[in-house]
C-alpha cells in the first residue's frame, strides 16, 4: 500500500476546535505530511478507511463519539500511529489505564515543536508492513529476512510479522516493536525507561505507564505464550528463559 504514493506521508487530524486543528495541520504539513482534517470521531474513522494515513492525531473531547471510542473503532481495522490529544495533563494517566490503543499522548496546550518531536519519535521506527495492515493469508518469512525465535514465538523482523506456532499474531506496530526488542535480547532485563527509549524513541520518564499498557496488550495477544514476557519486579521486563 505504501509503494504507490512515492513515500509521501499522510495524516488525519481529528479535532473539533478550529484553532487547534489549524495549528496541527500547519505543524504536520510543514513536516511533509499530506493532511486531511475532520471535526468528529465518525468522520475520523471514515477518513482512516478512505485516506489510509500513516498518522492520526485524535482529540479526546469530540462531539458525538469521543476520542476513546474513535480510537477503538480505528484499531478494529488499522494499526496506524495514533497520538491522542487531551485537554488536561491529569487525564493522561487515566487514559493510559483505559488501554485505548493509542501509541502516544499529548496534552494541550502543546507547541508545534513538541508535536513534531513526538511524531518524529514515532516515525524513527522502521516503516514496514505489519500483519494487521495485510490481513490476507499467511506468508512465511522470506529467506533473507531476520527471523527471531523464542519457544513457540517467531518474529519475521523485516516482514514485520509475528507468529505463535503457525498462527499469525495481529499485533499493532508498537506491540510488534516491543516484542522484537524483547526477543532480540532474551537475556536482557529491560527497564521501562530503556524500552521507552528504544521502542518509542523518547526519554520522558513520566510516560512509563505507556510501556505497562502496551506490554499488557501484547500479552493478551500472545495467549498461552504470554508468560514468556516476564515482569521483573521493581525493574521491568524480560523474555522468560525456556
Ligand atoms: Ca475538543
Amino acid at each position: 500500500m505504501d509503494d504507490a504514493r512515492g513515500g509521501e506521508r499522510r495524516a488525519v487530524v481529528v479535532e473539533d476546535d478550529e484553532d487547534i486543528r489549524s495549528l496541527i495541520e500547519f505543524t504536520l504539513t510543514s513536516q511533509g505530511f499530506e493532511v486531511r482534517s475532520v471535526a468528529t470521531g465518525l468522520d475520523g474513522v471514515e477518513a482512516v478507511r478512505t485516506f489510509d494515513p500513516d498518522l492520526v492525531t485524535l482529540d479526546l473531547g469530540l462531539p458525538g463519539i469521543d476520542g476513546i471510542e474513535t480510537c477503538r473503532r480505528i484499531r478494529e481495522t488499522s494499526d496506524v500511529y495514533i497520538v491522542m490529544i487531551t485537554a488536561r495533563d491529569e487525564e493522561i494517566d487515566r487514559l493510559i489505564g483505559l488501554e485505548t490503543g493509542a501509541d502516544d499522548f499529548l496534552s494541550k496546550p502543546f507547541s508545534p515543536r513538541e508535536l513534531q518531536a513526538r511524531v518524529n519519535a514515532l516515525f524513527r521506527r522502521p516503516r514496514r508492513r505489519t500483519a494487521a495492515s495485510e490481513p490476507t493469508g499467511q506468508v512465511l518469512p522470506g529467506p533473507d529476512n531476520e527471523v527471531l525465535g523464542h519457544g513457540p514465538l517467531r518474529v519475521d523482523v523485516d516482514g514485520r510479522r509475528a507468529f505463535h506456532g503457525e498462527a499469525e499474531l495481529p499485533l499493532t506496530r508498537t506491540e510488534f516493536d516491543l516484542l522484537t526488542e524483547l526477543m532480540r535480547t532474551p537475556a536482557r532485563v529491560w527497564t521501562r525507561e530503556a524500552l521507552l527509549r528504544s521502542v518509542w524513541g523518547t526519554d520522558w520518564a513520566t510516560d512509563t505507564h505507556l510501556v505497562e499498557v502496551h506490554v499488557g496488550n501484547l500479552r493478551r495477544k500472545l495467549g498461552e505464550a504470554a508468560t514468556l514476557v516476564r515482569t521483573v519486579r521493581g525493574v521491568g521486563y524480560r523474555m522468560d528463559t525456556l
Side-chain angles (χ1 to χ4, degrees):
M1 65 172 197
D2 296 322
D3 302 331
R5 32 170 131 139
E8 180 150 28
R9 299 190 298 185
R10 299 177 175 186
V12 166
V13 174
V14 189
E15 171 64 68
D16 60 316
D17 181 304
E18 220 176 308
D19 289 335
I20 297 171
R21 195 164 64 226
S22 303
L23 173 74
I24 298 173
E25 272 174 24
F26 173 79
T27 305
L28 295 179
T29 303
S30 68
Q31 266 183 300
F33 282 91
E34 188 186 339
V35 178
R36 182 167 296 181
S37 294
V38 295
T40 70
L42 286 178
D43 287 342
V45 174
E46 182 59 22
V48 168
R49 223 189 321 263
T50 56
F51 192 55
D52 188 24
D54 306 287
L55 171 75
V56 176
T57 72
L58 182 55
D59 185 31
L60 175 66
L62 291 165
I65 64 170
D66 67 6
I68 293 171
E69 177 62 14
T70 304
C71 188
R72 197 187 62 74
R73 295 194 193 182
I74 290 172
R75 276 283 176 258
E76 285 175 1
T77 61
S78 171
D79 67 344
V80 62
Y81 286 137
I82 299 177
V83 177
M84 184 89 84
I85 295 176
T86 77
R88 286 187 300 278
D89 243 357
E90 311 84 69
E91 277 174 341
I92 291 184
D93 272 356
R94 184 181 68 86
L95 278 174
I96 291 173
L98 289 175
E99 304 182 1
T100 58
D103 295 287
D104 205 349
F105 298 86
L106 194 57
S107 62
K108 298 173 188 173
F110 54 86
S111 66
R113 211 158 142 194
E114 196 172 357
L115 176 60
Q116 282 181 344
R118 298 296 181 99
V119 170
N120 283 338
L122 285 174
F123 281 87
R124 266 201 298 274
R125 306 189 210 167
R127 286 213 62 240
R128 280 174 293 205
R129 188 163 47 85
T130 68
S133 66
E134 205 163 287
T136 46
Q138 176 177 338
V139 178
L140 292 171
D144 300 328
N145 290 0
E146 179 187 3
V147 177
L148 307 170
H150 192 81
L153 298 175
R154 201 157 39 95
V155 166
D156 170 8
V157 178
D158 301 298
R160 292 191 65 84
R161 301 185 146 206
F163 300 86
H164 180 210
E166 292 305 307
E168 185 163 359
L169 298 166
L171 303 184
T172 66
R173 294 175 195 216
T174 297
E175 290 156 7
F176 180 89
D177 290 338
L178 259 178
L179 182 62
T180 301
E181 287 300 75
L182 291 168
M183 284 182 60
R184 268 216 177 101
T185 52
R188 173 170 178 181
V189 176
W190 285 84
T191 64
R192 291 170 181 79
E193 289 78 9
L195 280 171
L196 260 185
R197 272 194 298 277
S198 185
V199 174
W200 279 264
T202 69
D203 242 340
W204 293 292
T206 50
D207 292 355
T208 53
H209 285 315
L210 205 56
V211 178
E212 286 159 34
V213 170
H214 284 274
V215 167
N217 292 346
L218 172 63
R219 280 184 175 139
R220 256 191 301 285
K221 293 185 183 177
L222 292 180
E224 61 196 38
T227 53
L228 288 175
V229 178
R230 285 280 295 268
T231 300
V232 181
R233 204 169 285 282
V235 184
Y237 306 95
R238 70 169 167 79
M239 292 305 285
D240 202 5
T241 45
L242 294 169

